[in-house]
Amino acid sequence: MTTLSLLRPDDWHLHVRDGASLASVIGFTAARFGRAIIMPNLKPPVTTTDLAAAYRQRILSALPAGSRFQPLMTLYLTNSTDPAEVDRAADSGFVHGFKLYPAGATTHSDAGVTDLNRIDAVLERMSERGMVLQVHGEVTDAHVDIFDREARFIDQVLVPLSQMYPKLRIVFEHITTRQAVEFVRSARAGIAATITPQHLLLNRTALFAGGIRPHLYCLPVLKTEPDRVALVEAAISGDPRFFLGTDSAPHARHTKEAACGCAGIFSAHAAIELYAEVFDAAGALDRLEGFASHFGADFYQLPRNTDRITLVREPWTVPGHYPFGTHEIVPFRAGKTVAWRIA
Ligand code: NCD
Ligand code: ZN
Ligand code: ZN
């Protein structure tokens, strides 16, 4: 098969930043996806429905002319989130979840939640209103090995959280381990996970191939080959609890090629194409549409898209960099080939 027609996919985990940077990257996503869940970790974070409304307008204004792309907004949970904000968000029609960043876990998470007890009333209200909780699932204890932080989070936080709020719908974002796959498979109803292209394509050895590779550094960090294999099995399984979320997270080149480089991989320029490589290599191209275009919409209780995109198996070379506001970004696979392109 050299061409593949898919119902238009959606990206259920995306960072587009703001201002001139937003204008540089949003077109890549809008060319491929119908909708995307927009992460709220701006500086300062998007903590209220009013801030999300303004951010949503900035995204719509930055879209290429004629685009029908829809940003789906999320709010950033803090220790002082007001339970009434859940009602404002649910009533808005454009906020589709609240994001839990354990304080200090990842890029721009310093305003995140330090103790889940602090947001008990918010989580209760979210359960009542059917609002989705998106979770960056890593413990933040500096003594826990960085490769163990996700697995530790499952036992310490996710299991108790899912039992304490049995109706709360939770997306375990950007899962990276075999343990996360097993947790989702054995979890109660209402729990799902997103998977990125980099965690399906690479293991942690890639971070050090011939020297340190700052453009392959993201959080949660790449894991072992058995972890990667478990993620691919989950993605291609047809299990609707696993769906597409790129976590495309652009950072200016100089902030990654630095003594202390930022976490985040930019993949929006080739997102669906990279997933097609994974499914193709696994002999599962027939399962890509479920993962990319059905299961996320179903979980978020939104209609599936109705138009289609076509992918062609024809290699192209990714540019070494793209503009990013007044800076530049180095995209995933820079200078190398991607096996599929969008028609
Ligand atoms: C994300 C970012 O840069 O905003 N970085 C990352 O490495 N994934 C934050 C996140 O999703 O954790
Ligand atoms: Zn994250
Ligand atoms: Zn992210």
Side-chain angles (χ1 to χ4, degrees):
M1 188 205 283
T2 54
T3 74
L4 179 65
S5 165
L6 293 178
L7 201 63
R8 186 176 291 281
D10 302 301
D11 185 349
W12 300 98
H13 182 129
L14 177 69
H15 303 266
V16 293
R17 316 305 187 201
D18 209 348
S21 307
L22 161 63
S24 299
V25 297
I26 191 67
F28 292 108
T29 294
R32 292 164 175 75
F33 297 100
R35 297 163 290 196
I37 284 277
I38 307 293
M39 287 293 137
N41 61 333
L42 302 182
K43 283 249 175 216
V46 181
T47 50
T48 66
T49 307
D50 287 347
L51 286 169
Y55 186 29
R56 179 172 175 272
Q57 280 309 321
R58 296 197 295 282
I59 296 169
L60 292 173
S61 304
L63 284 172
S67 174
R68 306 207 337 251
F69 174 79
Q70 289 175 48
L72 310 175
M73 309 311 290
T74 60
L75 302 189
Y76 185 118
L77 285 169
T78 73
N79 285 343
S80 51
T81 300
D82 182 350
E85 197 60 53
V86 177
D87 292 310
R88 284 190 282 274
D91 293 339
S92 74
F94 57 79
V95 177
H96 295 270
F98 281 72
K99 180 70 191 265
L100 173 63
Y101 289 105
T106 187
T107 304
H108 300 169
S109 64
D110 33 292
V113 174
T114 57
D115 177 0
L116 278 177
N117 295 322
R118 306 277 291 264
I119 58 165
D120 173 64
V122 174
L123 295 172
E124 281 293 355
R125 197 75 196 120
M126 286 175 62
S127 309
E128 285 159 19
R129 295 297 310 257
M131 186 57 83
V132 172
L133 177 72
Q134 293 110 355
V135 181
H136 180 107
E138 289 189 287
V139 296
T140 56
D141 183 342
H143 299 296
V144 178
D145 189 285
I146 189 163
F147 294 103
D148 298 334
R149 288 181 188 176
E150 181 177 278
R152 195 68 75 84
F153 186 88
I154 296 168
D155 300 331
Q156 271 182 26
V157 183
L158 220 38
V159 167
L161 182 78
S162 61
Q163 288 167 357
M164 205 135 78
Y165 307 95
K167 295 248 152 65
L168 183 61
R169 288 156 65 232
I170 302 173
V171 181
F172 191 0
E173 298 290 344
H174 47 43
I175 59 168
T176 64
T177 56
R178 177 181 54 77
Q179 289 94 327
V181 169
E182 284 167 6
F183 166 75
V184 172
R185 284 209 178 110
S186 61
R188 63 157 170 82
I191 293 183
T194 54
I195 312 181
T196 77
Q198 64 265 24
H199 293 103
L200 291 169
L201 287 161
L202 301 175
N203 64 44
R204 64 193 188 182
T205 299
L207 273 167
F208 308 104
I212 193 153
R213 301 288 178 172
H215 298 291
L216 296 182
Y217 175 55
C218 65
L219 287 172
V221 72
L222 296 171
K223 298 299 192 305
T224 68
E225 180 62 9
D227 290 307
R228 188 193 71 80
V229 169
L231 294 170
V232 171
E233 283 171 6
I236 68 170
S237 67
D239 183 333
R241 293 173 291 188
F242 300 100
F243 50 81
L244 187 158
T246 63
D247 192 23
S248 178
H251 290 273
R253 176 200 276 258
H254 68 280
T255 67
K256 288 189 67 69
E257 296 176 6
C260 186
C262 295
I265 293 177
F266 178 72
S267 62
H269 64 295
I272 189 66
E273 300 90 323
L274 292 166
Y275 286 106
E277 278 189 8
V278 172
F279 280 68
D280 195 5
L285 278 176
D286 59 322
R287 301 274 173 85
L288 180 59
E289 189 173 55
F291 177 80
S293 317
H294 297 169
F295 304 152
D298 298 350
F299 184 85
Y300 276 90
Q301 300 171 352
L302 292 167
R304 295 177 182 176
N305 293 320
T306 50
D307 62 328
R308 305 186 74 79
I309 63 164
T310 301
L311 292 171
V312 185
R313 195 197 277 115
E314 188 176 85
W316 58 285
T317 303
V318 176
H321 53 85
Y322 289 111
F324 186 56
T326 54
H327 299 285
E328 60 185 38
I329 31 178
V330 177
F332 191 74
R333 289 272 174 84
K336 302 205 181 82
T337 59
V338 169
W340 289 79
R341 68 172 178 80
I342 193 142

